[in-house]
Amino acid sequence: MVTAVTTPNIDNSFVDLSGVSATTDNPYEALIAASHDNPAEIQKRYQAHRIARNEQQREKLLAPGFSEVSIDPVLYQLENRSMFPAFQDPRYCLVFWARPTQSIRDLVQTIQQKLCDAAPNLWLMPADCLHMTTLEITHSLTAPEIEVLVQTLLPSAKLITDYTLNHRTRLVKPMISYDASAIALSFVPASGEIVDGLENHDDSYTYHHLRRDIYNLSKSAGVTVASRYTVPSAHLTIARFITQEDFVSRDASSLSDDPHKMKRWVDAIESINIWLMENYWPKVGNTIPEGGQWIVGQEKGLDFRKGTLWYGGGETVRLGAGS
């Protein structure tokens, strides 16, 4: 294994901005090794990644040469059936999702309302579609190709989807992560933050360990894992752009990008992040409030999901037992 701290290329959307670069059989092992298997260091690397990513995107969105937000062409066609009645998403995928608890869903709904105050034409992820991808097996294949992989994984499906029953992992410190395409609610692995009035909670098994283990279990089941990225991020996509309407100005004959509207949008996100930090992050002497902590596998186990699930759709092959 080769592990090194590097200066990342922040122009790459899928690059690890935590400073870890590695070649390992399991891509999740590198960060654990670079962090000395220490949950506090793992949390710092997740935090470093999302802070660097937000700073990069803020600079990009507010740059004088920035043209427009990125409209998702597939989602646009799916949401405009009157114009594209026959369109079908051709990208079949296979994943293991973590489903948010009710308290996280409630927090997402509140945040979505705040985002819509700044950009009323956002596409919002429906509550029953919210998910965090613990492991993407593959993406953008045909339905028959996905079905072959499903049959290969089926004998191990119960073991994998129920894995969180005996491998508890916590996520804390919710924050909005964003770019020119979408908005997500992100978390970092816990590291002994106060819970139920007790300090020194055992968080030695982190969400990154869970990702590592699900990767190993999937490979052992006989499939090749072809994830698009393995960056240190624990996030749920909560909104996407399907129109430029909220970021342009109109005159009698044309539309033009309005940098003042974009600045208001970025300021609104940063304001929400301050609100999250003040109200949902752990504080010395206080327990973590509802919505400020996510125990992965609570209420529902992992969701083994197939199909056209880019926007939270698809079909559950097996849903694991919750705790």
Side-chain angles (χ1 to χ4, degrees):
M1 181 182 71
V2 178
T3 303
V5 176
T6 64
T7 301
N9 171 16
I10 61 174
D11 292 330
N12 185 340
S13 297
F14 300 135
V15 76
D16 181 343
L17 301 182
S18 71
V20 174
S21 176
T23 302
T24 59
D25 291 336
N26 184 321
Y28 299 102
E29 199 68 71
L31 185 140
I32 294 172
S35 303
H36 309 101
D37 205 7
N38 183 326
E41 291 190 30
I42 291 172
Q43 181 181 112
K44 287 178 182 178
R45 292 186 183 277
Y46 268 69
Q47 179 71 353
H49 174 81
R50 65 179 182 172
I51 291 296
R53 181 95 176 117
N54 273 6
E55 289 176 351
Q56 167 204 341
Q57 294 303 313
R58 185 183 195 281
E59 181 179 353
K60 175 182 176 180
L61 293 176
L62 299 181
F66 180 75
S67 57
E68 56 188 26
V69 295
S70 299
I71 303 305
D72 185 323
V74 174
L75 183 58
Y76 178 80
Q77 292 176 82
L78 292 172
E79 289 293 302
N80 289 276
R81 287 296 188 184
S82 60
M83 294 190 296
F84 308 99
F87 179 77
Q88 298 292 328
D89 188 345
R91 305 164 301 176
Y92 285 76
C93 310
L94 190 63
V95 298
F96 289 101
W97 280 349
R99 291 291 198 172
T101 59
Q102 186 59 52
S103 62
I104 300 298
R105 287 159 57 118
D106 292 344
L107 177 60
V108 167
Q109 183 178 34
T110 300
I111 293 171
Q112 287 176 328
Q113 291 170 349
K114 291 177 179 291
L115 290 171
C116 281
D117 289 341
N121 294 290
L122 280 175
W123 177 84
L124 302 178
M125 182 75 77
D128 59 353
C129 295
L130 289 168
H131 62 275
M132 178 171 63
T133 303
T134 299
L135 183 69
E136 179 183 66
I137 301 297
T138 193
H139 64 94
S140 302
L141 298 182
T142 64
E145 289 171 326
I146 291 295
E147 197 56 40
V148 170
L149 297 174
V150 169
Q151 294 306 312
T152 301
L153 279 166
L154 267 181
S156 302
K158 184 179 189 304
L159 171 64
I160 298 174
T161 56
D162 287 349
Y163 198 72
T164 50
L165 277 174
N166 298 309
H167 297 82
R168 302 292 293 273
T169 177
R170 293 196 303 149
L171 296 169
V172 295
K173 300 181 180 179
M175 187 178 87
I176 298 297
S177 297
Y178 64 99
D179 59 21
S181 302
I183 303 92
L185 181 62
S186 66
F187 296 81
V188 295
S191 176
E193 287 81 4
I194 298 172
V195 57
D196 297 330
L198 300 175
E199 298 189 48
N200 300 319
H201 187 274
D202 183 10
D203 290 307
S204 57
Y205 186 82
T206 72
Y207 180 65
H208 206 76
H209 289 85
L210 177 65
R211 297 171 77 190
R212 177 201 64 187
D213 289 353
I214 300 304
Y215 181 98
N216 283 337
L217 290 169
S218 298
K219 282 196 69 177
S220 296
V223 298
T224 297
V225 179
S227 301
R228 284 170 294 161
Y229 60 95
T230 57
V231 298
S233 180
H235 67 272
L236 314 99
T237 298
I238 63 173
R240 294 181 182 272
F241 300 113
I242 56 171
T243 176
Q244 306 287 348
E245 189 69 26
D246 295 321
F247 307 102
V248 297
S249 295
R250 298 177 178 273
D251 59 30
S253 59
S254 64
L255 296 175
S256 60
D257 295 307
D258 189 332
H260 300 291
K261 289 186 176 181
M262 181 55 69
K263 178 63 164 58
R264 285 198 296 270
W265 168 245
V266 172
D267 287 346
I269 291 175
E270 294 181 348
S271 176
I272 293 172
N273 277 339
I274 292 171
W275 171 77
L276 285 169
M277 188 178 298
E278 291 177 345
N279 293 279
Y280 290 92
W281 285 34
K283 295 181 176 66
V284 175
N286 294 312
T287 57
I288 300 173
E290 285 289 314
Q293 170 180 275
W294 178 1
I295 298 176
V296 178
Q298 188 176 19
E299 298 179 8
K300 296 179 181 179
L302 296 180
D303 191 347
F304 181 23
R305 195 92 166 170
K306 68 177 182 179
T308 54
L309 44 78
W310 217 275
Y311 313 110
E315 175 186 347
T316 292
V317 179
R318 187 182 192 278
L319 180 63
S323 57

